[in-house]
Amino acid sequence: MSLLSDLINLDLSDTTEKLIAEYIWIGGSGMDMRSKARTLSGPVDDPSKLPKWNYDGSSTGQAPGEDSEVILYPQAIFRDPFRRGKNILVMCDSYTPAGEPIPTNKRHAAAKIFSHPEVVAEEPWYGIEQEYTLLQKDTKWPLGWPVGGYPGPQGPYYCGAGADKAFGRDIVDSHYKACLYAGINIGGINAEVMPGQWEFQVGPVVGVSAGDQMWVARYILERIAEIAGVVVSFDPKPVQGDWNGAGAHTNYSTKSMREAGGYEVIKTAVEKLGKRHQEHIAAYGEGNERRLTGKHETADIKSFKWGVANRGASVRVGRDTEKQGKGYFEDRRPASNMDPYVVTSMIAETTILWKP
Protein backbone atom coordinates (compact mmCIF):
# COMPACT_ATOMS: atom_id res chain seq x y z
CA MET A 1 0.00 0.00 0.00
CA SER A 2 1.28 3.47 -0.87
CA LEU A 3 1.98 5.91 1.91
CA LEU A 4 0.71 9.46 1.56
CA SER A 5 4.31 10.66 1.33
CA ASP A 6 4.89 8.27 -1.59
CA LEU A 7 2.00 9.80 -3.50
CA ILE A 8 3.03 13.38 -2.72
CA ASN A 9 6.49 12.61 -4.09
CA LEU A 10 5.18 10.71 -7.11
CA ASP A 11 7.31 11.39 -10.21
CA LEU A 12 5.01 12.02 -13.17
CA SER A 13 7.72 12.48 -15.79
CA ASP A 14 7.75 8.82 -16.87
CA THR A 15 4.00 8.64 -17.46
CA THR A 16 2.86 11.98 -18.86
CA GLU A 17 4.08 15.20 -20.51
CA LYS A 18 1.57 17.12 -18.42
CA LEU A 19 2.76 19.25 -15.52
CA ILE A 20 1.30 21.27 -12.67
CA ALA A 21 1.51 25.07 -12.55
CA GLU A 22 0.85 26.74 -9.18
CA TYR A 23 -0.47 30.26 -9.89
CA ILE A 24 0.46 32.68 -7.08
CA TRP A 25 -1.01 36.12 -6.40
CA ILE A 26 -1.36 38.71 -3.65
CA GLY A 27 -4.70 39.01 -1.86
CA GLY A 28 -6.69 41.99 -0.66
CA SER A 29 -4.68 42.73 2.51
CA GLY A 30 -1.58 43.32 0.42
CA MET A 31 0.31 40.66 2.39
CA ASP A 32 -1.84 37.53 2.11
CA MET A 33 -0.51 35.18 -0.53
CA ARG A 34 -2.96 33.05 -2.45
CA SER A 35 -2.39 30.23 -4.94
CA LYS A 36 -4.15 27.52 -6.89
CA ALA A 37 -2.94 24.89 -9.34
CA ARG A 38 -3.81 23.89 -12.88
CA THR A 39 -2.61 21.24 -15.31
CA LEU A 40 -0.62 22.25 -18.40
CA SER A 41 -0.23 20.01 -21.45
CA GLY A 42 3.55 20.49 -21.52
CA PRO A 43 6.49 22.67 -20.45
CA VAL A 44 6.26 26.45 -20.86
CA ASP A 45 9.26 28.74 -20.27
CA ASP A 46 7.70 32.09 -21.26
CA PRO A 47 5.04 33.54 -18.92
CA SER A 48 3.31 35.29 -21.84
CA LYS A 49 2.55 31.85 -23.30
CA LEU A 50 0.80 30.68 -20.14
CA PRO A 51 -3.00 30.93 -20.04
CA LYS A 52 -4.62 33.72 -18.06
CA TRP A 53 -6.86 32.46 -15.29
CA ASN A 54 -9.58 33.83 -13.02
CA TYR A 55 -10.41 33.67 -9.33
CA ASP A 56 -13.14 34.74 -6.96
CA GLY A 57 -12.10 38.23 -5.86
CA SER A 58 -15.01 38.46 -3.40
CA SER A 59 -13.26 35.78 -1.31
CA THR A 60 -9.95 37.69 -1.23
CA GLY A 61 -11.33 41.17 -0.50
CA GLN A 62 -10.64 42.35 -4.06
CA ALA A 63 -14.06 42.39 -5.76
CA PRO A 64 -17.77 42.60 -4.86
CA GLY A 65 -19.84 39.42 -4.79
CA GLU A 66 -22.05 40.52 -7.67
CA ASP A 67 -19.03 41.03 -9.96
CA SER A 68 -16.36 38.85 -8.39
CA GLU A 69 -14.25 37.65 -11.31
CA VAL A 70 -10.60 38.79 -11.23
CA ILE A 71 -8.13 37.76 -13.93
CA LEU A 72 -4.60 36.49 -13.27
CA TYR A 73 -1.86 37.50 -15.72
CA PRO A 74 1.22 35.24 -15.47
CA GLN A 75 4.38 37.34 -15.08
CA ALA A 76 7.27 35.14 -13.92
CA ILE A 77 8.04 31.40 -13.84
CA PHE A 78 10.01 29.51 -11.18
CA ARG A 79 10.77 25.82 -10.60
CA ASP A 80 8.48 24.26 -8.02
CA PRO A 81 10.52 22.93 -5.05
CA PHE A 82 7.47 21.17 -3.59
CA ARG A 83 6.28 19.12 -6.58
CA ARG A 84 9.66 19.25 -8.33
CA GLY A 85 10.12 17.62 -11.74
CA LYS A 86 8.87 19.87 -14.54
CA ASN A 87 6.27 21.52 -12.34
CA ILE A 88 6.38 25.29 -11.90
CA LEU A 89 5.40 28.22 -9.69
CA VAL A 90 3.91 31.18 -11.56
CA MET A 91 3.91 34.70 -10.08
CA CYS A 92 0.86 36.60 -11.34
CA ASP A 93 -0.76 39.99 -10.98
CA SER A 94 -4.48 40.77 -11.03
CA TYR A 95 -6.77 42.61 -13.47
CA THR A 96 -10.46 43.23 -14.10
CA PRO A 97 -12.06 41.31 -16.99
CA ALA A 98 -11.71 44.57 -18.99
CA GLY A 99 -7.93 44.44 -18.55
CA GLU A 100 -7.53 47.18 -15.92
CA PRO A 101 -5.19 46.50 -12.97
CA ILE A 102 -7.17 46.17 -9.75
CA PRO A 103 -6.26 48.62 -6.92
CA THR A 104 -4.16 46.06 -5.02
CA ASN A 105 -2.07 45.29 -8.13
CA LYS A 106 1.16 47.15 -7.30
CA ARG A 107 3.23 45.30 -9.90
CA HIS A 108 1.57 47.03 -12.85
CA ALA A 109 2.63 50.54 -11.76
CA ALA A 110 6.11 49.29 -10.83
CA ALA A 111 6.58 47.71 -14.27
CA LYS A 112 5.74 51.07 -15.89
CA ILE A 113 8.47 52.81 -13.89
CA PHE A 114 11.01 50.08 -14.59
CA SER A 115 10.26 50.21 -18.33
CA HIS A 116 10.93 53.98 -18.52
CA PRO A 117 13.95 54.53 -20.83
CA GLU A 118 15.88 56.52 -18.21
CA VAL A 119 15.37 53.77 -15.62
CA VAL A 120 16.24 51.00 -18.09
CA ALA A 121 19.48 52.80 -18.95
CA GLU A 122 20.48 52.92 -15.26
CA GLU A 123 19.98 49.15 -14.69
CA PRO A 124 18.77 49.47 -11.07
CA TRP A 125 20.00 46.64 -8.85
CA TYR A 126 18.30 45.66 -5.62
CA GLY A 127 19.26 43.49 -2.70
CA ILE A 128 16.44 43.12 -0.15
CA GLU A 129 17.08 41.87 3.40
CA GLN A 130 13.81 40.27 4.48
CA GLU A 131 13.45 39.85 8.24
CA TYR A 132 10.63 37.75 9.66
CA THR A 133 9.59 36.08 12.91
CA LEU A 134 8.60 32.44 13.38
CA LEU A 135 5.66 32.02 15.76
CA GLN A 136 4.29 29.03 17.64
CA LYS A 137 1.06 28.11 15.85
CA ASP A 138 -1.31 27.93 18.83
CA THR A 139 0.00 30.79 20.94
CA LYS A 140 1.28 33.16 18.23
CA TRP A 141 4.32 33.67 20.50
CA PRO A 142 7.84 33.58 18.97
CA LEU A 143 9.34 30.16 18.38
CA GLY A 144 11.61 29.07 21.22
CA TRP A 145 10.14 31.53 23.74
CA PRO A 146 8.59 30.19 26.98
CA VAL A 147 4.80 30.19 26.71
CA GLY A 148 3.61 33.50 28.16
CA GLY A 149 7.17 34.39 29.12
CA TYR A 150 10.38 35.83 27.78
CA PRO A 151 13.84 34.48 26.97
CA GLY A 152 17.06 36.05 28.15
CA PRO A 153 17.96 39.53 26.86
CA GLN A 154 19.17 40.06 23.28
CA GLY A 155 22.84 39.49 22.61
CA PRO A 156 23.51 35.76 22.15
CA TYR A 157 20.93 35.19 19.41
CA TYR A 158 22.23 37.20 16.42
CA CYS A 159 23.93 34.66 14.12
CA GLY A 160 23.96 32.37 17.14
CA ALA A 161 24.21 28.59 17.33
CA GLY A 162 22.82 26.22 19.93
CA ALA A 163 19.48 24.88 21.10
CA ASP A 164 19.07 27.81 23.52
CA LYS A 165 19.93 30.47 20.90
CA ALA A 166 18.67 29.42 17.45
CA PHE A 167 15.04 28.42 16.96
CA GLY A 168 13.69 27.16 13.63
CA ARG A 169 16.91 26.56 11.72
CA ASP A 170 15.43 23.54 9.92
CA ILE A 171 12.75 25.80 8.42
CA VAL A 172 15.30 28.45 7.49
CA ASP A 173 17.71 26.04 5.79
CA SER A 174 14.87 24.30 3.97
CA HIS A 175 13.74 27.69 2.69
CA TYR A 176 17.27 28.59 1.59
CA LYS A 177 17.65 25.45 -0.54
CA ALA A 178 14.08 25.63 -1.88
CA CYS A 179 14.69 29.19 -3.11
CA LEU A 180 17.91 28.15 -4.86
CA TYR A 181 16.02 25.24 -6.45
CA ALA A 182 13.27 27.59 -7.62
CA GLY A 183 15.75 29.88 -9.36
CA ILE A 184 15.51 32.76 -6.90
CA ASN A 185 18.74 34.73 -6.50
CA ILE A 186 18.81 34.29 -2.72
CA GLY A 187 22.05 35.67 -1.32
CA GLY A 188 22.08 34.19 2.18
CA ILE A 189 20.36 33.74 5.54
CA ASN A 190 21.12 34.53 9.18
CA ALA A 191 19.56 34.46 12.62
CA GLU A 192 18.54 37.93 13.74
CA VAL A 193 18.91 39.86 17.02
CA MET A 194 15.56 38.86 18.51
CA PRO A 195 15.27 35.11 19.21
CA GLY A 196 12.91 33.40 16.78
CA GLN A 197 13.62 36.06 14.16
CA TRP A 198 15.52 35.34 10.95
CA GLU A 199 16.54 37.03 7.73
CA PHE A 200 17.07 36.05 4.12
CA GLN A 201 18.43 38.22 1.34
CA VAL A 202 17.28 38.32 -2.28
CA GLY A 203 19.56 39.99 -4.83
CA PRO A 204 21.15 41.50 -6.68
CA VAL A 205 18.12 41.49 -8.97
CA VAL A 206 17.29 44.06 -11.65
CA GLY A 207 14.08 46.07 -11.76
CA VAL A 208 10.64 44.55 -11.34
CA SER A 209 12.14 41.06 -11.04
CA ALA A 210 13.26 41.99 -7.52
CA GLY A 211 9.60 42.17 -6.50
CA ASP A 212 8.74 38.94 -8.31
CA GLN A 213 11.55 37.04 -6.62
CA MET A 214 10.84 38.44 -3.16
CA TRP A 215 7.14 37.58 -3.33
CA VAL A 216 7.83 34.02 -4.46
CA ALA A 217 10.49 33.65 -1.75
CA ARG A 218 7.87 34.74 0.79
CA TYR A 219 5.40 32.25 -0.67
CA ILE A 220 7.91 29.41 -0.41
CA LEU A 221 8.63 30.37 3.20
CA GLU A 222 4.91 30.32 4.04
CA ARG A 223 4.53 26.86 2.46
CA ILE A 224 7.51 25.42 4.35
CA ALA A 225 6.28 26.88 7.64
CA GLU A 226 2.86 25.37 6.88
CA ILE A 227 4.47 21.94 6.64
CA ALA A 228 6.31 22.54 9.91
CA GLY A 229 3.18 23.77 11.71
CA VAL A 230 4.73 27.18 12.38
CA VAL A 231 3.37 30.65 11.58
CA VAL A 232 5.43 33.29 9.71
CA SER A 233 4.98 36.88 10.90
CA PHE A 234 6.08 39.88 8.84
CA ASP A 235 4.93 42.29 11.55
CA PRO A 236 7.56 45.04 11.94
CA LYS A 237 7.37 44.89 15.75
CA PRO A 238 5.95 41.50 16.75
CA VAL A 239 6.88 41.90 20.44
CA GLN A 240 6.75 45.26 22.18
CA GLY A 241 9.54 46.24 24.55
CA ASP A 242 13.30 45.96 24.40
CA TRP A 243 13.33 43.72 21.32
CA ASN A 244 14.47 44.48 17.80
CA GLY A 245 11.79 44.97 15.18
CA ALA A 246 11.72 43.40 11.70
CA GLY A 247 12.62 45.35 8.57
CA ALA A 248 13.29 44.83 4.89
CA HIS A 249 16.44 46.87 4.34
CA THR A 250 16.69 47.60 0.63
CA ASN A 251 20.13 47.87 -0.95
CA TYR A 252 20.20 49.82 -4.19
CA SER A 253 22.54 50.93 -6.93
CA THR A 254 22.33 52.25 -10.46
CA LYS A 255 24.81 51.93 -13.30
CA SER A 256 26.02 55.47 -12.59
CA MET A 257 26.55 54.64 -8.92
CA ARG A 258 28.57 51.56 -9.78
CA GLU A 259 30.94 53.43 -12.10
CA ALA A 260 33.79 55.87 -11.35
CA GLY A 261 32.44 58.98 -9.64
CA GLY A 262 29.44 57.03 -8.37
CA TYR A 263 29.77 58.31 -4.82
CA GLU A 264 28.62 61.77 -5.89
CA VAL A 265 25.65 60.19 -7.68
CA ILE A 266 24.82 58.31 -4.47
CA LYS A 267 24.92 61.51 -2.40
CA THR A 268 22.58 63.25 -4.85
CA ALA A 269 20.19 60.28 -4.76
CA VAL A 270 20.18 60.17 -0.95
CA GLU A 271 19.44 63.91 -0.82
CA LYS A 272 16.42 63.31 -3.07
CA LEU A 273 15.21 60.53 -0.77
CA GLY A 274 15.48 62.90 2.19
CA LYS A 275 13.30 65.49 0.46
CA ARG A 276 10.54 62.89 -0.06
CA HIS A 277 10.98 61.18 3.31
CA GLN A 278 7.35 61.33 4.44
CA GLU A 279 6.07 60.13 1.08
CA HIS A 280 8.37 57.10 1.23
CA ILE A 281 7.55 56.35 4.87
CA ALA A 282 3.84 56.30 4.02
CA ALA A 283 4.52 53.56 1.44
CA TYR A 284 7.11 51.55 3.37
CA GLY A 285 4.83 49.22 5.35
CA GLU A 286 2.03 49.16 7.93
CA GLY A 287 2.90 49.61 11.60
CA ASN A 288 6.38 50.90 10.83
CA GLU A 289 6.02 53.61 13.48
CA ARG A 290 6.26 50.86 16.12
CA ARG A 291 9.66 49.87 14.70
CA LEU A 292 11.28 53.17 13.64
CA THR A 293 11.74 54.66 17.11
CA GLY A 294 15.39 55.71 16.99
CA LYS A 295 16.27 52.63 19.07
CA HIS A 296 17.23 49.07 18.16
CA GLU A 297 19.29 50.03 15.11
CA THR A 298 16.71 52.37 13.58
CA ALA A 299 16.33 56.06 12.87
CA ASP A 300 13.28 57.89 14.20
CA ILE A 301 10.40 57.76 11.71
CA LYS A 302 9.91 61.55 11.84
CA SER A 303 13.43 62.43 10.77
CA PHE A 304 15.75 61.57 7.89
CA LYS A 305 19.48 61.16 8.25
CA TRP A 306 22.15 59.24 6.43
CA GLY A 307 25.67 58.23 7.27
CA VAL A 308 28.56 55.91 6.50
CA ALA A 309 28.36 52.59 8.39
CA ASN A 310 25.63 54.04 10.64
CA ARG A 311 22.95 51.47 11.43
CA GLY A 312 20.97 54.13 13.28
CA ALA A 313 20.52 56.11 10.07
CA SER A 314 17.61 56.17 7.61
CA VAL A 315 20.06 55.43 4.81
CA ARG A 316 23.43 53.77 5.36
CA VAL A 317 26.40 53.93 3.00
CA GLY A 318 28.99 51.19 3.42
CA ARG A 319 32.66 51.80 4.19
CA ASP A 320 33.68 50.06 0.96
CA THR A 321 31.48 52.37 -1.09
CA GLU A 322 33.01 55.44 0.54
CA LYS A 323 36.53 54.07 0.08
CA GLN A 324 36.08 53.04 -3.56
CA GLY A 325 34.10 56.14 -4.49
CA LYS A 326 31.30 54.04 -6.02
CA GLY A 327 28.90 51.26 -5.13
CA TYR A 328 25.50 51.14 -3.44
CA PHE A 329 23.54 52.33 -0.43
CA GLU A 330 21.03 50.77 1.95
CA ASP A 331 17.59 52.23 2.66
CA ARG A 332 16.93 50.97 6.19
CA ARG A 333 13.41 52.39 6.50
CA PRO A 334 11.21 49.72 4.81
CA ALA A 335 9.28 47.50 7.21
CA SER A 336 9.30 43.71 6.97
CA ASN A 337 5.73 43.82 5.60
CA MET A 338 6.50 46.27 2.80
CA ASP A 339 5.47 45.56 -0.78
CA PRO A 340 8.71 45.07 -2.74
CA TYR A 341 7.05 46.27 -5.95
CA VAL A 342 6.18 49.57 -4.26
CA VAL A 343 9.49 50.13 -2.47
CA THR A 344 11.81 49.23 -5.35
CA SER A 345 9.91 51.26 -7.96
CA MET A 346 9.54 54.23 -5.62
CA ILE A 347 13.28 54.34 -4.95
CA ALA A 348 13.96 54.24 -8.71
CA GLU A 349 11.34 56.92 -9.43
CA THR A 350 12.69 59.26 -6.76
CA THR A 351 16.39 58.83 -7.52
CA ILE A 352 16.24 58.61 -11.34
CA LEU A 353 13.09 60.26 -12.64
CA TRP A 354 12.10 62.84 -10.01
CA LYS A 355 13.33 66.37 -10.64
CA PRO A 356 13.13 68.43 -7.40
Side-chain angles (χ1 to χ4, degrees):
M1 181 181 291
S2 294
L3 298 173
L4 187 59
S5 59
D6 294 333
L7 296 173
I8 290 172
N9 295 318
L10 197 62
D11 184 358
L12 303 177
S13 59
D14 293 336
T15 57
T16 179
E17 285 295 311
K18 294 180 179 180
L19 58 91
I20 302 170
E22 189 79 26
Y23 279 43
I24 303 165
W25 72 96
I26 302 156
S29 75
M31 274 304 293
D32 56 318
M33 304 207 68
R34 311 286 180 131
S35 75
K36 60 178 183 172
R38 67 181 298 160
T39 304
L40 302 179
S41 59
V44 178
D45 57 8
D46 181 348
S48 68
K49 295 179 181 178
L50 286 167
K52 295 182 176 68
W53 205 6
N54 65 74
Y55 67 91
D56 172 17
S58 68
S59 295
T60 63
Q62 293 171 299
E66 64 274 12
D67 187 14
S68 66
E69 192 167 284
V70 182
I71 312 301
L72 293 171
Y73 285 33
Q75 299 292 356
I77 295 173
F78 299 86
R79 291 183 291 273
D80 186 340
F82 303 103
R83 295 188 176 106
R84 288 167 283 186
K86 298 176 183 177
N87 303 300
I88 56 175
L89 304 177
V90 183
M91 188 64 206
C92 306
D93 59 353
S94 302
Y95 296 80
T96 67
E100 295 296 320
I102 66 172
T104 54
N105 180 352
K106 306 303 182 184
R107 189 188 192 281
H108 181 78
K112 279 189 174 180
I113 291 171
F114 285 120
S115 64
H116 190 287
E118 291 181 48
V119 178
V120 172
E122 282 290 354
E123 298 174 13
W125 290 4
Y126 297 91
I128 304 173
E129 304 171 31
Q130 176 69 69
E131 295 177 341
Y132 60 94
T133 309
L134 296 174
L135 305 179
Q136 300 168 49
K137 182 181 175 183
D138 296 329
T139 62
K140 299 300 193 315
W141 201 232
L143 200 65
W145 289 37
V147 176
Y150 296 87
Q154 294 182 155
Y157 310 107
Y158 173 69
C159 296
D164 58 344
K165 303 178 190 70
F167 311 109
R169 192 185 296 277
D170 53 348
I171 295 170
V172 174
D173 278 348
S174 298
H175 176 250
Y176 195 174
K177 287 187 174 181
C179 284
L180 287 171
Y181 180 95
I184 292 167
N185 194 26
I186 185 168
I189 53 100
N190 61 268
E192 266 304 328
V193 178
M194 190 183 87
Q197 194 175 88
W198 294 81
E199 173 185 300
F200 66 89
Q201 305 93 34
V202 168
V205 186
V206 178
V208 74
S209 293
D212 292 336
Q213 293 200 23
M214 178 53 72
W215 275 115
V216 174
R218 285 173 169 177
Y219 173 81
I220 291 172
L221 178 61
E222 291 275 18
R223 286 282 303 274
I224 291 171
E226 173 190 321
I227 295 166
V230 171
V231 173
V232 179
S233 171
F234 293 104
D235 190 291
K237 190 73 173 181
V239 181
Q240 294 302 306
D242 196 18
W243 306 98
N244 274 34
H249 303 156
T250 302
N251 299 276
Y252 170 72
S253 73
T254 62
K255 187 176 180 182
S256 298
M257 293 175 191
R258 297 188 292 268
E259 294 176 343
Y263 194 57
E264 291 303 314
V265 180
I266 287 173
K267 288 196 288 186
T268 300
V270 172
E271 287 170 6
K272 283 184 172 184
L273 289 173
K275 290 175 181 177
R276 298 181 79 181
H277 176 62
Q278 291 305 325
E279 191 175 338
H280 278 254
I281 284 294
Y284 272 17
E286 295 294 325
N288 213 8
E289 72 282 351
R290 292 183 280 115
R291 167 180 162 261
L292 296 180
T293 60
K295 300 177 181 178
H296 304 109
E297 302 181 70
T298 70
D300 187 274
I301 195 169
K302 297 176 183 177
S303 60
F304 179 90
K305 63 179 181 178
W306 74 279
V308 176
N310 183 359
R311 295 185 182 277
S314 311
V315 170
R316 180 183 69 88
V317 175
R319 289 284 182 205
D320 286 345
T321 296
E322 181 187 43
K323 183 178 179 180
Q324 295 173 12
K326 60 182 180 179
Y328 70 97
F329 64 82
E330 174 192 43
D331 191 337
R332 296 179 59 81
R333 297 172 295 172
S336 50
N337 59 4
M338 63 81 155
D339 188 322
Y341 292 134
V342 173
V343 169
T344 56
S345 61
M346 197 171 194
I347 292 173
E349 197 274 332
T350 295
T351 60
I352 300 172
L353 300 178
W354 184 57
K355 306 295 188 284

